[in-house]
Amino acid sequence: MNAAHALVVAVIGPPGAGKSTLSRSLAETCTASIFRVREAAHRAAHADPVNPVFAAALESTRDPLGWLPDLLAHHLVRGALDAAPYQKMILEGFPGNDYQARALALHLRAVGRQLSVIELTARPGTLAGRLARRRVCPSCDTSPGGPRHPAAASRALPSLCSACGTPLLVRDTDRGEQAAARQARYTANLPGIRAVLVHEAGVPWQTLATDPDEPPASARLLSLMPFERTPL
C-alpha cells in the first residue's frame, strides 16, 4: 500500500473560500472521503444517545461560534482516521488551531500516514460576495446540525432550490457578525497552524487562490497533490 492510498489532506481557508466545493470535487475525482468535525459530532450524538458526551458538548458549548472542545474534536478526527486507515481522506476546515494541528500531525506520524495541507485564499471582496450569495436547501441538505452546503438555485425562480423547489435559506453563520467572527478567528489561528505543520512537522503546504480570475482550484490541486486519480 503506497503513501497515496493513505493520504490525508486538510483543506482550510476563510469562510467563502470554497472549501466545500473543492472538497467535493477532489473526493469525487480521487475516491476520497470527506470529514467534517461538527457533522461527525452530530452523528455520534444521534447514534449513541445513551452516552451524553457528544450531545452535551453540542448543546452546552460556550464557544460563540459553536466550536467543540479541542480534545473532543481530535477524538472524532482520530476515530474517523483509524476506522479507515487506507482510505484517502479530506479534512474539511480542520485543523482550526495550533493545538488541533499538533495533535493531528503527531497522530498521523505515529500511524505512518502522510498529511498535506491545501490553504484556499481569496480577496476580501470575493469572500464577502460569496457569503452574500450563498444559499442552502433545508430539504436536499440533511446534514447533521442543519443544512450547510451550497445549493443550486432555480434559473426561473432564484429563491428556490433547482432540485426540489424548496425556498433557499441563508446560513446563520454566513450573516453579519457571525461571518465576521469566523473570518477573524481563522485569520488569528492561521499563523499558528502553519507554524506547527510546516515548521515543526514538515507537512507539505500548498496555497491556492480561488478568485474568479484565477485558474480553477480543483484542476490546480490535482496537478499538485500526490493523489491517484480513480480510473473513469
Side-chain angles (χ1 to χ4, degrees), residues 92-107:
E92 185 182 311
F94 188 91
N97 58 36
D98 57 347
Y99 175 92
Q100 295 175 359
R102 184 171 289 108
L104 175 65
L106 289 173
H107 178 65

Side-chain angles (χ1 to χ4, degrees), residues 10 95 101-102 104-105 115 117 192-205:
R102 184 171 289 108
L104 175 65
L115 173 66
V117 177
I193 298 171
R194 184 190 294 271
V196 168
L197 295 183
V198 176
H199 301 298
E200 292 184 16
V203 171
W205 183 296

Side-chain angles (χ1 to χ4, degrees), residues 130-173:
R130 287 176 181 163
L131 294 183
R133 295 188 300 270
R134 184 158 66 185
R135 299 291 185 274
V136 296
C137 177
S139 295
C140 293
D141 186 353
T142 57
S143 301
R148 297 189 54 80
H149 310 300
S154 167
R155 292 186 178 182
L157 294 171
S159 63
L160 303 181
C161 175
S162 63
C164 69
T166 298
L168 297 176
L169 305 175
V170 178
R171 287 188 346 190
D172 290 340
T173 53

Side-chain angles (χ1 to χ4, degrees), residues 6 8 77-78 81-86 103-115:
V8 177
V77 174
R78 179 171 178 171
L81 291 168
D82 291 349
Y86 301 113
L104 175 65
L106 289 173
H107 178 65
L108 291 179
R109 178 180 296 175
V111 298
R113 296 188 69 171
Q114 180 184 354
L115 173 66

